[in-house]
């Protein structure tokens, strides 16, 4: 069996306080780097770049290290960890942010060590596009770069975000963000606009309805795995990205494949999307990282297989 | 090539006046029977039961007759045709009914002639469950019965609806209706409750996100075909049902197949759902039946194939 490629990711490490129709959780672990790295680590080794305050439990960083996650890029700064407070109503389609205390995250400046610079795959989670570019400036020669973003940056730093987009292969955002980024109201036309901005691959996240993959060869429509208990959707998008990029790393993905073997490339991306949807479906079944923390490889493989069967014509 | 089975359908024939973000259409052809029968007629012969007023254009009934649709069950009553006035906002997920004039439809009483009674497949569109049962009382020995319903009957005549459900094989409703019918909030648990009420097959329509098929063997998740122009979602559900039942009729579907050849049965249902999603995607691209009226078999087959490819892992 070939060795999986290494993924480097940068983003937030946070405490979340969240209330949903299923209950509430106070100051639990959250942030894109946590969700992404734990999800991706089921498939491939991950290096993380982030910052926490001195109130962050060392035990969690130690736990990450036991799971194929290189935590040498985690800075511990004087002050408090980023804290997000939010809630979800009804069908839990959208988060209501009640407060955001950036704390030490406000002055985050990702610094890469020589090992980080050699990473094969890069995932730039949803942070300031200036920082996303700073990471790209420091890496040597990644084979594939993916990024996420959100309304806050699309409206707040559109020019910087567009600079980032010119340098990435894959963008994963949700449907509303795709409309906001392009000014379009139809997802097919929005996808065309976005693919003109740089990313050759677009993933549109559709929450409980799954994800849409748009590449040079066409469209793939992946459903969400239908869970019987939805507890907390926080982290679903980052878990999706972790499952997706993890799968790509396990297949030694390289953007050159799009030219040298477009059929294999497309199939790999489609399987990656299914891996992402599967991972997200576990995350939403409990608060924080709780479900991912007790997830076993066998369960993951079973559900992934089940989801594949749910789209087979037979 | 084997001959397709015959489908008998009962429901409304109407004039619709509808306004959407894409424009408006006044007193155009609508009603479940019109959408269903035109859609189904691409795959199989259809017999329709309905009532219109003497303001209904004979030319439309004549046109239906040219398309493999037996219109001998259309009653022409003294008075005006059923007229629905509605609008859609934003993403066009839900219709706002502005007025409903039942007119001659109020006293509709479906009468079956000897040919109707011998129909192989029955589709009971969204009408009073008492009338749905009256049709079932009159048919001889159908091989498969499907029905639709809506909020109005779920809350207004729950006991009668439950009597209908005991006698049908397939129920197609939307997600909100499934929740209302069962009091559940999760679609998986709602599906289990509904399948205990009678139908062994449940189709949950999810609008722009496609449809979910739940059978004894599992779940199939079909996406909607992503259209680049959405004009008017009116009739999408009935066109879906027409495409679905039409495909089943073309395969000579019979409920016994669920026991004798469950694999073939399941695959047929899945292909039927894809046929339904494809048909609905044409309907929403124009007002009324306009797109279906100019739809060619070749276009339909092409898009159906395209949609199949959009869910293939490769």
């Amino acid at each position: 069996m070939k060795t999986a490629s290494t993924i480097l990711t940068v983003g937030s490490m946070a405490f979340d306080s969240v209330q949903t129709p299923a209950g509430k959780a106070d100051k639990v672990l959250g942030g894109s780097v946590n969700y992404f790295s734990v999800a991706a680590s089921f498939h491939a080794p991950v290096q993380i770049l982030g910052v926490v305050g001195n109130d962050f439990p060392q035990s969690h960083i130690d736990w990450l290290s036991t799971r194929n996650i290189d935590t040498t890029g985690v800075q511990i700064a004087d002050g408090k960890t980023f804290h997000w407070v939010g809630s979800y109503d009804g069908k839990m389609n959208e988060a209501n942010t009640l407060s955001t205390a950036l704390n030490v995250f406000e002055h985050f400046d990702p610094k890469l060590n020589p090992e980080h610079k050699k990473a094969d795959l890069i995932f730039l989670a949803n942070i300031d596009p200036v920082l996303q570019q700073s990471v790209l400036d420091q890496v040597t020669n990644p084979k594939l770069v993916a990024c996420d973003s959100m309304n806050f940056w699309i409206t707040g730093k559109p020019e910087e975000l567009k600079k980032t987009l010119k340098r990435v292969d894959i963008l994963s955002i949700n449907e509303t963000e795709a409309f906001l980024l392009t000014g379009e109201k139809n997802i097919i036309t929005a996808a065309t606009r976005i693919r003109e901005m740089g990313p050759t691959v677009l993933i549109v996240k559709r929450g409980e309805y799954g994800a849409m993959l748009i590449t040079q060869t066409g469209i793939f429509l992946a459903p969400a795995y239908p869970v019987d208990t939805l507890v907390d959707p926080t982290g679903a998008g980052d878990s999706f990205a972790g499952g997706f990029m993890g799968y790509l790393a396990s297949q030694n993905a390289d953007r050159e494949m799009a030219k040298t073997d477009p059929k294999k490339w497309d199939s790999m991306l489609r399987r990656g999307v299914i891996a992402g949807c599967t991972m997200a479906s576990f995350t939403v079944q409990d608060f924080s990282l709780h479900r991912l923390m007790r997830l076993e490889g066998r369960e993951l493989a079973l559900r992934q297989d089940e989801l594949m069967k749910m789209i087979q014509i037979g």
Side-chain angles (χ1 to χ4, degrees), chain A:
Chain A
M1 200 179 139
K2 61 191 165 186
T3 315
S5 301
T6 297
I7 310 169
L8 171 69
T9 188
V10 60
S12 62
M13 301 181 76
F15 290 128
D16 289 345
S17 296
V18 60
Q19 179 145 18
T20 81
K24 61 186 287 185
D26 196 41
K27 270 195 100 173
V28 290
L29 284 170
S32 52
V33 157
N34 276 312
Y35 283 108
F36 179 91
S37 65
V38 175
S41 70
F42 281 91
H43 302 283
V46 189
Q47 302 168 323
I48 62 177
L49 302 171
V51 64
V52 295
N54 39 29
D55 57 348
F56 197 80
Q58 180 62 38
S59 58
H60 178 63
I61 298 178
D62 293 343
W63 177 79
L64 291 175
S65 309
T66 65
R67 302 186 50 98
N68 219 7
I69 299 171
D70 168 5
T71 59
T72 55
V74 177
Q75 302 167 22
I76 301 173
D78 254 356
K80 286 185 171 183
T81 301
F82 177 23
H83 186 189
W84 176 76
V85 182
S87 70
Y88 297 84
D89 310 312
K91 287 186 76 185
M92 307 198 217
N93 286 328
E94 219 163 324
N96 314 307
T97 293
L98 303 173
S99 81
T100 305
L102 290 176
N103 299 330
V104 297
F105 191 55
E106 194 168 357
H107 304 288
F108 177 44
D109 183 16
K111 299 279 183 217
L112 280 62
N113 68 31
E115 279 306 307
H116 299 145
K117 292 180 184 183
K118 290 188 289 181
D120 304 300
L121 275 65
I122 315 288
F123 180 70
L124 308 166
N126 163 36
I127 53 169
D128 187 334
V130 175
L131 297 188
Q132 292 179 322
Q133 290 165 52
S134 155
V135 171
L136 294 183
D137 292 340
Q138 295 177 64
V139 291
T140 316
N141 191 19
K143 294 191 185 109
L144 196 65
V145 178
C147 91
D148 190 0
S149 194
M150 72 178 292
N151 294 3
F152 186 77
W153 306 115
I154 294 171
T155 51
K157 292 202 176 179
E159 292 315 312
E160 290 299 334
L161 179 57
K162 278 173 190 167
K163 281 188 209 164
T164 298
L165 290 181
K166 281 199 182 122
R167 301 170 70 180
V168 310
D169 305 292
I170 305 174
L171 173 66
S172 80
I173 50 176
N174 71 34
E175 210 157 14
T176 319
E177 289 156 359
F179 293 146
L180 191 67
L181 179 57
T182 57
E184 300 286 345
K185 284 176 183 172
N186 176 284
I187 197 62
I188 301 299
T189 36
T192 306
R193 291 294 91 70
I194 290 170
R195 295 186 59 245
E196 288 162 0
M197 293 177 185
T200 55
V201 175
L202 174 66
I203 295 172
V204 181
K205 295 177 282 183
R206 303 167 118 190
E208 61 168 324
Y209 299 108
M212 183 188 259
L213 169 77
I214 300 115
T215 69
Q216 59 190 13
T217 45
I219 296 174
F220 174 60
L221 297 161
Y225 178 88
V227 291
D228 55 6
T229 46
L230 170 56
V231 173
D232 175 12
T234 309
D238 295 309
S239 307
F240 171 90
F244 173 77
M245 290 294 281
Y247 180 79
L248 264 54
S250 77
Q251 303 300 306
N252 300 117
D254 184 322
R255 71 173 71 82
E256 292 306 313
M257 281 166 64
K259 291 170 208 151
T260 56
D261 195 345
K263 208 170 158 181
K264 186 178 165 193
W265 168 251
D266 205 58
S267 170
M268 180 193 67
L269 291 171
R270 288 175 179 225
R271 284 167 192 273
V273 169
I274 292 291
C277 287
T278 309
M279 196 66 76
S281 77
F282 283 108
T283 295
V284 303
Q285 288 192 295
D286 204 342
F287 286 103
S288 184
L289 298 154
H290 300 166
R291 186 67 185 90
L292 288 192
M293 280 177 169
R294 59 177 191 270
L295 178 61
E296 288 172 25
R298 209 180 116 270
E299 285 177 296
L300 179 66
L302 266 178
R303 186 177 286 188
Q304 198 158 300
D305 192 47
E306 211 187 330
L307 185 57
M308 295 251 202
K309 290 203 175 103
M310 287 182 189
I311 57 171
Q312 267 162 28
I313 296 287

